[in-house]
Amino acid sequence: MSDDQKPKGVKPAGLPTGAKPAGPPKAAKPAGPPKAAKPAGPPGAKAVKPPARPALRPPKPPTARVVGAPAEGDGEAHGLPVLTRKDFATPADVRWCPGCGDYAVLAAVQRVLPELTEKKEDVVFISGIGCSSRFPYYMNTYGMHSIHGRAPTVATGLKSSRPELDVWVITGDGDALSIGAGHFAHMLRRNVDLQVILFNNQIYGLTKGQYSPTSEVGKVTKSSPYGSLDHPFNPAALALGADASFVARTMDRDPKHMQAMLRRAHAHRGTAFVEVYQNCNIFNDGAFFDFTEKDSKPERTVFVEHGQPLVYDDGTKGIMLDGVTLRSVNLDDGNRSTDDCLVWDEGDKTLAFLVIQQLFWNDALPRPFGVFYIEDRPAYDAMLQEQVEAVTEKKGEGDLRALLHAGATWTIS
Amino acid sequence: MSDTASPTTTPTRTLPEVTVLFAGDSGDGMQLTGGQFSHATALARNDLATLPDFPAEIRAPAGTLYGVSAFQLHFGERAIHTPGDEVDLLVAMNAAALKVNLGRVRSGGTIIVNRNSFAQRDLDLASYESNPLEDGSLEGYDVVEVELTKLTREALADFDLSTKDTDRSKNMFALGLALWMYTRPIEPAREWIRGKFATNETIRDANLTVLNKGYHYGDITEAFAARYEVPPAKLDPGVYRTIKGNDALALGLVAATVKSGLKIFYGTYPITPASDLLHALSRYKEFGLRTFQAEDEIAAVGSALGASFGGGLGVTATSGPGVALKTEFIGLATMTELPLVVIDVQRAGPSTGMPTKTEQSDLMMAIYGRNGEAPAPVLAAKTPGDCFEAAYEAARIAVKYMTPVLLLSDGYLGNGSEPWRIPDPDALPDFPVHFADSEDAPTDEDGTFLPYVRDAETLARPWAKPGTPALEHRLGGLEKDERTGGVSYDPENHQRMTVLRAEKIAGITRELPPLEVEGDDNGEVLVIGWGSTYGAIKAAVNHIRDESDLRVGHVHLRWLNPLPADLGEVIERFGRVLVPELNHGQLVRLLRERYLIPAVSLPKIQGLPFKASEIQDAIRAAASNAN
């Protein structure tokens, strides 16, 4: 099926009428964090200087090639078919609740994929079980809606045997952190070359509203009428603790930032983990409104960017490192400047731990978003492939007859 | 038995068959000793069968009853089907080994004991009230007391070795003595020692010295009335090697990857007694196959299914507890209709059970153990060497019918060994593979791929792997529309799909060869078996037919699901059906239900294989009830 044979009249997945979250962005160019303070002057004496950004591997081969800015409409450029957002939509009706944050993630993925690949057939989405895990049904690519918590296992087997494929894992807070926590951690430590998008809504949606492993302590739900006793996971900290080589966080209501995170994740070789704060407007509405709504967002969020000081609230506040403690400081009273602020270094794991862990469930400090950590470490699938090739080179192509006759044999005539 | 000239002073007698049992502490190296004796026996051209029998504890406290490790070997000039009902020679390295294994020794059999391991402390550990070497309890046996520890230490007096390292060599004394006793060649063991300890000359030379010392001890001691000779067996012409079941499974999978061109992805998690399969396959990367030691049993099967989705052949192997964990993924393979091979090297259950002991108690789990209606082909290997063909067949069926396949082996087959006539790779069945492409894939009017439109004969759906343009599709555990593969909650569709999945598996009977009935083609008793009981049943049926006028047949089922189409017709030719199984009666229930016959069950649930004599007794009983 070529591009122009696609079923026509299929609406790209978008937000149903009346949905609250912002629609997909109109701008196609990569965007930085919105309203991020930019007064990054030369770092002063007090500032923590980042070392040079860690060397990253070159961009991925063909499937990962950036073909160009996403174009609207079908067309050909330089002899290559240019994919569009529509090419990644399926005829299946999207069955998430109207207003669900999942729509925004679907829209962002469908929007960035044409930039990231020219071979749709090489893209595979693997999911587990849960609301978010219906995602592959809405992507016109290869996909598998597998078993609760087990998507990392399927994806690991697929990518390890077909390293040339572009594999994405779609999961949620229950899927990845409860029933599938073991696989999640092992995928990260192995560093299989794929992207993981974790839709964190801090609730079980598909089973209709029980508390999840990211729900806050004391949460009252159907299964916790007197309040949940469970201490919540911090997914980004868990990922970092499992030696993830790429850890980022974004939110459903900031499409530009989400797209930027997806691009960064895709460019990374190894397991790229992206946590998305996603609103479940049915069972946990407003869980992240502090961070996503325009009246509170400036004060409650800080967007980290490599080489830039941690500044927020329209440039009026910053984050300072005091020993090993992070503190919020005012930048508009003349006592402190951006020079005093912690300058972000996405290659520094210690900094990543500090920020991820201290800026969490703390009303006095903003919640961080952006790429927290990136590390250049060999991917499991590439090493497996290299090992197979090295052994084959050393021993020669396998000879079945010789193998069967290996060791001591005797002949009866 | 005949006396023949011997190169030594000890006369040599000829025997048609012999059963030897080496027993000692789990740290005494009895499995190595047995393995090397088997190797020498195979090179002496005898047919043989082995039964390694060891505790789950790696190094149980020395001298205890539960720490005893044993290796039984039955060899002969005639066809050997079992590890032997009764032991002719027991080599007991300590008091506990004697106590645990004395019951297996035939009346009048020979017992070689390490005299130095019968001190009071050894007797206490073995719960002996009095010394069996002195209290007359071994009357009726030919007991040869050897100061094995002392002789080993004397032999190594000039070596710069600790007492511990010195004593560790004493199993080589036992091996040397046993090789002498049965006139086995000593050179293969020498060669093995030279290879095994190539990097440590002292240990190498110590072991060689002790091996020689044991070999020559027989001549010097005059404690043995005779040496024995077992003439070569009349095996079919061909090139042979010894093989263990787990190694044969590995080779069968390599053969499947070579013949099909499919890259095998072997996802697994270590578990007794299946781990050797991983150890073997992980060495064969030059065949392009990949092995993956997953974080758990679920990840093992999940990764295998992921590889199958990618157009490889996903294989996983485990034992019963692992199959329990893999259950949900096997169901997903049924729903997504992707090939998957699940090998169960069964062990005694339930739960952790007795991990190092054999059993056939996972049959019902293999056939029925999944949520929903989830039919899957189930087949079983019958001998260590047969594991090769069974693995190849399981892989071929999985791909041809786009289905998970369960292959049952067990601890006895997995660790047991036999001489194996090496197959000709060119003579293996064809293993065609077809991937759908945009030219031949079924599509609807507007060109959309229909991943669930089936082959008219096999009912298999097309296999389209990622990377194939225009065939993008989504699989998953939700019920599928029978054409588009889209999610469907349609009531009629679900019924049709359930029936189709069942018919696909049932239809495999079309390609099964006619059942082979060994022994009599009709008569009083038909013995129906499956899996590792083959040798014991065959030996029992042969024995009964030799000694009586009873007409007894033997059918051994490769296929447990679906059952062969002609089984009912074979059953009708006999008065009574007897089903020996190493479980509490599982196949027998299937047969009763399917054929409405009062089949007789012979269950054995002791963690040990059948003795032929146990089956002989049951055949006689069934025959008398039939009349």
Side-chain angles (χ1 to χ4, degrees), chain B residues 390-508:
Chain B
Y392 188 86
E393 181 74 345
R396 191 182 67 80
I397 292 292
V399 170
K400 181 171 179 179
Y401 292 89
M402 295 289 283
T403 179
V405 173
L406 289 105
L407 169 58
L408 299 176
S409 175
D410 61 33
Y412 168 58
L413 292 182
N415 289 317
S417 57
E418 67 172 351
W420 180 52
R421 189 164 59 150
I422 300 169
D424 176 4
D426 297 335
L428 291 170
D430 285 342
F431 195 150
V433 179
H434 180 71
F435 288 106
D437 59 33
S438 54
E439 299 296 310
D440 65 8
T443 58
D444 69 8
E445 314 77 50
D446 69 2
T448 304
F449 176 44
L450 299 171
Y452 277 74
V453 168
R454 292 161 195 282
D455 178 89
E457 190 200 329
T458 63
L459 299 181
R461 71 172 193 85
W463 194 6
K465 59 180 171 181
T468 313
L471 301 188
E472 290 89 352
H473 63 286
R474 273 66 56 196
L475 298 174
L478 290 168
E479 180 61 286
K480 299 281 166 280
D481 178 86
E482 71 173 318
R483 295 182 74 244
T484 67
V487 175
S488 171
Y489 283 85
D490 179 76
E492 299 296 329
N493 178 74
H494 179 50
Q495 178 141 356
R496 280 196 302 273
M497 288 296 278
T498 301
V499 171
L500 269 171
R501 286 187 287 260
E503 285 177 347
K504 180 172 82 167
I505 304 308
I508 296 172

Side-chain angles (χ1 to χ4, degrees), chain A residues 159-182:
Chain A
K159 181 70 182 179
S160 298
S161 52
R162 297 282 310 278
E164 75 278 17
L165 297 176
D166 184 10
V167 179
W168 298 69
V169 168
I170 303 294
T171 185
D173 41 316
D175 193 58
L177 304 178
S178 233
I179 196 167

Side-chain angles (χ1 to χ4, degrees), chain B residues 272-613:
Chain B
T272 301
S275 306
D276 282 344
L277 196 45
L278 171 61
H279 305 161
L281 283 173
S282 59
R283 290 200 305 267
Y284 302 151
K285 293 211 163 59
E286 70 272 25
F287 289 88
L289 61 81
R290 288 162 168 75
T291 57
F292 175 63
Q293 183 174 314
E295 61 269 25
D296 59 32
E297 295 282 0
I298 298 172
V301 65
S303 62
L305 189 66
S308 287
F309 180 47
L313 176 56
V315 180
T316 187
T318 183
S319 191
V323 178
L325 286 165
K326 294 177 195 298
T327 295
E328 191 180 8
F329 257 117
I330 300 172
L332 181 64
T334 295
M335 198 60 135
T336 55
E337 304 196 38
L338 285 168
L340 176 71
V341 176
V342 180
I343 299 171
D344 179 359
V345 187
Q346 300 165 96
R347 68 191 212 189
S351 188
T352 308
M354 301 193 289
T356 57
K357 308 297 179 189
T358 198
E359 206 162 273
Q360 296 182 299
S361 45
D362 296 344
L363 177 61
M364 287 299 191
M365 175 165 70
I367 297 178
Y368 295 119
R370 289 167 292 284
N371 65 305
E373 299 280 349
V378 178
L379 32 74
K382 63 182 182 181
T383 67
D386 182 55
C387 287
F388 176 85
E389 283 170 44
Y392 188 86
E393 181 74 345
R396 191 182 67 80
I397 292 292
V399 170
K400 181 171 179 179
Y401 292 89
M402 295 289 283
T403 179
V405 173
L406 289 105
L407 169 58
L408 299 176
S409 175
D410 61 33
Y412 168 58
L413 292 182
N415 289 317
S417 57
E418 67 172 351
W420 180 52
R421 189 164 59 150
I422 300 169
D424 176 4
D426 297 335
L428 291 170
D430 285 342
F431 195 150
V433 179
H434 180 71
F435 288 106
D437 59 33
S438 54
E439 299 296 310
D440 65 8
T443 58
D444 69 8
E445 314 77 50
D446 69 2
T448 304
F449 176 44
L450 299 171
Y452 277 74
V453 168
R454 292 161 195 282
D455 178 89
E457 190 200 329
T458 63
L459 299 181
R461 71 172 193 85
W463 194 6
K465 59 180 171 181
T468 313
L471 301 188
E472 290 89 352
H473 63 286
R474 273 66 56 196
L475 298 174
L478 290 168
E479 180 61 286
K480 299 281 166 280
D481 178 86
E482 71 173 318
R483 295 182 74 244
T484 67
V487 175
S488 171
Y489 283 85
D490 179 76
E492 299 296 329
N493 178 74
H494 179 50
Q495 178 141 356
R496 280 196 302 273
M497 288 296 278
T498 301
V499 171
L500 269 171
R501 286 187 287 260
E503 285 177 347
K504 180 172 82 167
I505 304 308
I508 296 172
T509 55
R510 283 190 306 266
E511 69 173 79
L512 304 188
L515 276 175
E516 189 188 344
V517 184
E518 299 187 45
D520 293 303
D521 197 45
N522 59 73
E524 283 96 343
V525 179
L526 175 66
V527 186
I528 302 181
W530 65 280
S532 68
T533 56
Y534 175 77
I537 295 175
K538 186 178 175 74
V541 169
N542 286 347
H543 183 88
I544 293 278
R545 293 178 70 239
D546 285 348
E547 68 154 28
S548 73
D549 293 334
L550 277 181
R551 293 176 57 77
V552 183
H554 173 201
V555 162
H556 214 76
L557 297 175
R558 156 80 81 218
W559 282 88
L560 285 317
N561 191 47
L563 287 169
D566 52 348
L567 181 56
E569 176 197 316
V570 173
I571 287 173
E572 282 175 14
R573 303 204 295 261
F574 290 85
R576 203 78 165 155
V577 168
L578 172 69
V579 187
E581 294 174 272
L582 298 175
N583 59 44
H584 202 206
Q586 298 194 13
L587 175 63
V588 74
R589 284 191 219 182
L590 297 176
L591 297 178
R592 286 172 185 159
E593 182 245 15
R594 171 74 175 268
Y595 301 104
L596 303 176
I597 51 166
V600 179
S601 176
L602 174 59
K604 180 172 182 178
I605 320 119
Q606 301 173 7
L608 290 167
F610 276 111
K611 292 178 178 178
S613 58

Side-chain angles (χ1 to χ4, degrees), chain A residues 1 121 141-142 162 385 410 412, chain B residues 238 240 290 310 467-468 470 474:
Chain A
M1 192 196 307
E121 62 272 19
T141 64
Y142 285 91
R162 297 282 310 278
Q385 177 69 20
W410 66 96
I412 307 263
Chain B
Y240 284 77
R290 288 162 168 75
T468 313
R474 273 66 56 196

Side-chain angles (χ1 to χ4, degrees), chain A residues 48-78:
Chain A
V48 180
K49 284 185 191 177
R53 187 174 155 169
L56 298 177
R57 290 195 174 189
K60 294 187 186 184
T63 54
R65 216 176 98 197
V66 175
V67 180
E72 295 294 337
D74 297 335
E76 303 246 334
H78 314 296

